[in-house]
Amino acid sequence: MHDASFLSETLIFLIAAVVVAPVFQRLRSSLVLGYLVAGVIIGPGVLSLISGSKQVHNIAELGVVFLLFTIGLELSVDRLKVIRNQIFGVGTAQVVVTSVIIALIAWSVGFTPQTAVIIGGGLALSSTAVVLQLLSERGELASRRGRLTFAILLLQDLAVVPLLALVPAFAGEGDDTITALLWTLGKALLLLAGVAVFGRFVVRPLFRAVAVGRSSELFAAVTLAVLLGMAWLTGTFGLSLAIGGFLAGLLLAETEYRHQVAADIQPFRGLLLGLFFMTVGISLDLGIIFENTLLVLGLLVGLIVLKTLITMVLCRISGVSTAVSLNTALVLGQAGEFGFVLFALAGGFGLLEAREATILSAVIALSMALTPGLAFLGNRLHKRLEANLAEKKEDMRSESADLKDHVIIAGFGRVGQSVVKTLSAAGIPYVAVEFEPTRVAEARAQGLSVYYGDASRVEVLEALGADRARAAVIILDNATAAERVVNLLHRRFPNLNIYVRARDNAHKRRLTAAGASGIVQETYELSLHLGETVLRGYGTPDEQIQEIIRDHRADDYALLSDVILPVTVEKDGTEKT
């Protein structure tokens, strides 16, 4: 007879995920919280459907490996360059200062120095999954707060790697701890050097050969082999499996295959990571939590207040406005999913007792659950602090001080807002200027990088960082004002790409003479889009549709210029075109 117990447990996990995930998606809450709740429900504390077998825990650990792999994939040089000052400035300061203060508090109440460091590091980290989901839903990833928040989260994710390496080193006793730390650091550096050589001479040629064969199954298999092989290697060296996932991500981050790799790995990552968080929920002892309710709530409030104050002060020191600093600090006030990883690992090595790990995990879960409320509070306070636009020029300079190769948007009407959403989806930084104060106030209340000002004034453009920008998009209703702004930008910032909309051919010729780099004729493009929609509805082949559109766009929309002009009737009854 075959032992089907493992299969039955796996089936229970999958059913729980299928039932809980849609509920939390409908509530617009984080799936991480959904998986934790599912784990609690099927665990010994409620339904006792799962006991948490060793095999399930081993598979669940792969979810963390995949998560660290995707983090490594994101660390391309180009991406780091854009926000490098924030990453290695306020991001590093936030992790170090918060970790040290929490560690000192933990040490003062009786924890060993080693355990206190792990607690401090685990609680200093915020939830990348929850926060980025919130910012993405609100289209704020490319805003000032979005860029700053992402930079801090990225540094926190990087900090997980050394923290994971510290846990087995800290498991030593007495003077052996220092030796273990040095030995762990040496192994990590040796592995990093080996990864660089291996990636250059083995991995890239291997992926190139596989890509030539155009087999998606083989490509995914090679990706999994590299990922799991690197995890096995770091495990063999006595390091965390998750560090192997991170190193595998670094291997592929600078290759031309990283986007396809990320797409292939996404289903495995989501499923295994959900399994991991459900195992965390299973391990939460509800009896311990209820017995220590006041302690859990006290730690929860203290953690959020402490992290919010530290992050806000550090943001203000770095030159960020009070409104953005407070908003950013509140949305990062929770602890994150990597705290579960660290505390589970520390428990496995005997650095944390089961009761301590359960209480800390409960604090993390509750803080994550409060994140939407903290974000809402941050937006409300942001709105009040930004109500006075008297310091608009100084705010603009602060907003664009860390920007380079960003996009300046002049005009924040319907078209301008659509452009902002497109840029935000691509993670491209922007700053917008608008002359309608009500519209500006509403945008600022949502945390968007929109400021009150006249785009035709050179000092406003300088405050927006036009000398460091890559492009400007002019979307003004007044045709004369648009020409004036284009002319000013072209004369003062000749290297800037200027994109603008034109009403007709005459307007386009004037904008071209003023120095526009790219021009979209709104009337013609709208007619082409409508025609394309009709042709597609009739079943016209896509190739034929695109050929027709290319022909109509050629020679300055020549085919569309020969149209029947409208007929008007004069007072004497005669018709005039």
Side-chain angles (χ1 to χ4, degrees):
M1 293 288 291
H2 294 286
D3 183 9
S5 60
F6 173 67
L7 184 58
S8 64
E9 288 190 347
T10 303
L11 187 60
I12 291 172
F13 273 109
L14 291 175
I15 292 174
V18 169
V19 171
V20 170
V23 174
F24 276 75
Q25 284 181 327
R26 180 68 62 89
L27 295 174
R28 293 192 173 184
S29 184
S30 169
L31 283 179
V32 173
L33 293 173
Y35 292 135
L36 287 172
V37 171
V40 171
I41 292 173
I42 65 177
V46 182
L47 298 180
S48 299
L49 299 177
I50 294 287
S51 59
S53 65
K54 182 66 175 176
Q55 298 96 321
V56 171
H57 279 283
N58 288 339
I59 296 176
E61 189 177 357
L62 289 178
V64 183
V65 175
F66 278 72
L67 177 60
L68 267 293
F69 177 69
T70 56
I71 290 173
L73 275 179
E74 293 176 352
L75 298 182
S76 63
V77 174
D78 291 338
R79 192 167 194 179
L80 290 177
K81 282 181 179 178
V82 176
I83 52 176
R84 61 185 180 277
N85 293 333
Q86 294 173 331
I87 293 175
F88 301 108
V90 66
T92 301
Q94 188 276 334
V95 171
V96 172
V97 173
T98 308
S99 298
V100 169
I101 292 177
I102 295 177
L104 289 174
I105 295 173
W107 183 40
S108 69
V109 298
F111 287 99
T112 65
Q114 294 91 336
T115 303
V117 169
I118 299 302
I119 293 175
L123 295 181
L125 308 178
S126 303
S127 176
T128 301
V130 174
V131 174
L132 289 187
Q133 177 187 337
L134 276 174
L135 295 179
S136 178
E137 289 176 352
R138 300 178 181 183
E140 298 175 10
L141 280 174
S143 67
R144 169 69 161 171
R145 185 185 74 166
R147 297 192 307 274
L148 181 60
T149 302
F150 177 78
I152 295 174
L153 288 172
L154 184 56
L155 196 282
Q156 290 179 353
D157 291 344
L158 290 175
V160 173
V161 179
L163 286 171
L164 289 172
L166 286 177
V167 173
F170 279 165
E173 295 181 358
D175 296 334
D176 292 337
T177 301
I178 302 299
T179 303
L181 273 176
L182 295 175
W183 177 231
T184 300
L185 178 61
K187 289 188 291 186
L189 292 176
L190 180 63
L191 273 175
L192 190 60
V195 163
V197 175
F198 183 70
R200 180 177 180 84
F201 295 104
V202 178
V203 173
R204 190 185 289 264
L206 176 62
F207 272 92
R208 188 179 297 117
V210 171
V212 170
R214 298 181 180 276
S215 171
S216 57
E217 294 84 359
L218 184 58
F219 191 93
V222 171
T223 299
L224 288 173
V226 171
L227 170 56
L228 298 179
M230 192 61 63
W232 170 83
L233 184 62
T234 55
T236 303
F237 268 68
L239 299 173
S240 167
L241 299 181
I243 294 178
F246 178 76
L247 293 177
L250 288 181
L251 268 178
L252 301 172
E254 290 300 324
T255 69
E256 60 270 36
Y257 309 107
R258 75 181 179 95
H259 294 295
Q260 182 60 45
V261 167
D264 287 342
I265 220 73
Q266 183 63 31
F268 300 101
R269 171 186 177 269
L271 184 61
L272 292 173
L273 200 56
L275 185 59
F276 169 78
F277 287 121
M278 279 193 276
T279 60
V280 172
I282 291 172
S283 66
L284 293 178
D285 190 326
L286 296 183
I288 293 177
I289 295 174
F290 289 138
E291 289 174 5
N292 298 272
T293 301
L294 293 180
L295 176 60
V296 170
L297 294 178
L299 291 174
L300 174 65
V301 174
L303 175 68
I304 292 176
V305 171
L306 179 64
K307 290 188 68 174
T308 300
L309 288 175
I310 292 173
T311 305
M312 181 178 177
V313 170
L314 292 174
C315 289
R316 288 292 294 129
I317 292 175
S318 68
V320 180
S321 68
T322 301
V324 174
S325 296
L326 179 58
N327 208 339
T328 302
L330 281 169
V331 83
L332 292 174
Q334 81 294 125
E337 54 273 1
F338 281 118
F340 297 129
V341 178
L342 280 171
F343 298 152
L345 188 63
F349 277 94
L351 291 174
L352 278 174
E353 296 179 1
R355 173 181 176 276
E356 298 163 348
T358 296
I359 291 174
L360 291 173
S361 296
V363 170
I364 294 174
L366 290 174
S367 70
M368 292 170 66
L370 291 176
T371 301
L374 293 172
F376 176 78
L377 177 62
N379 280 333
R380 291 295 298 270
L381 294 175
H382 192 144
K383 182 178 180 180
R384 290 193 176 187
L385 291 172
E386 290 287 350
N388 185 0
L389 299 173
E391 298 180 355
K392 53 186 177 296
K393 190 186 300 183
E394 289 71 16
D395 286 343
M396 281 187 248
R397 292 188 187 280
S398 172
E399 178 77 20
S400 62
D402 65 318
L403 289 181
K404 186 177 181 182
D405 293 335
H406 57 291
V407 178
I408 295 173
I409 300 171
F412 199 67
R414 286 178 296 179
V415 178
Q417 293 170 39
S418 298
V419 172
V420 163
K421 289 181 179 179
T422 302
L423 295 175
S424 296
I428 297 175
Y430 73 90
V431 60
V433 61
E434 167 63 44
F435 210 56
E436 170 54 52
T438 303
R439 190 177 295 160
V440 173
E442 292 176 354
R444 298 294 300 177
Q446 298 177 32
L448 302 179
S449 300
V450 182
Y451 289 88
Y452 177 84
D454 184 355
S456 65
R457 297 178 58 181
V458 67
E459 58 267 26
V460 171
L461 296 173
E462 289 175 346
L464 295 172
D467 56 329
R468 303 183 307 277
R470 175 174 292 187
V473 181
I474 313 304
I475 318 170
L476 302 178
D477 293 329
N478 189 305
T480 304
E483 294 169 29
R484 186 165 59 249
V485 174
V486 170
N487 184 51
L488 176 61
L489 285 169
H490 182 63
R491 286 188 292 105
R492 296 297 296 264
F493 312 100
N495 296 324
L496 190 67
N497 292 317
I498 307 169
Y499 303 98
V500 62
R501 67 177 180 181
R503 295 186 173 181
D504 49 39
N505 276 338
H507 190 206
K508 178 181 178 181
R509 286 191 292 270
R510 294 196 300 271
L511 290 170
T512 302
S517 309
I519 302 174
V520 175
Q521 295 200 52
E522 55 187 4
T523 303
Y524 290 159
E525 285 298 326
L526 175 59
S527 63
L528 287 178
H529 182 66
L530 287 172
E532 177 185 2
T533 302
V534 174
L535 291 175
R536 204 175 301 280
Y538 266 80
T540 307
D542 284 345
E543 292 183 1
Q544 184 178 355
I545 294 175
Q546 296 306 318
E547 183 179 356
I548 293 172
I549 291 176
R550 281 196 300 271
D551 290 342
H552 281 75
R553 283 177 176 155
D555 298 325
D556 202 16
Y557 301 93
L559 295 177
L560 296 177
S561 299
D562 186 18
V563 297
I564 300 173
L565 297 176
V567 176
T568 58
V569 180
E570 298 293 313
K571 291 182 179 181
D572 59 3
T574 60
E575 294 183 351
K576 182 180 179 180
T577 59

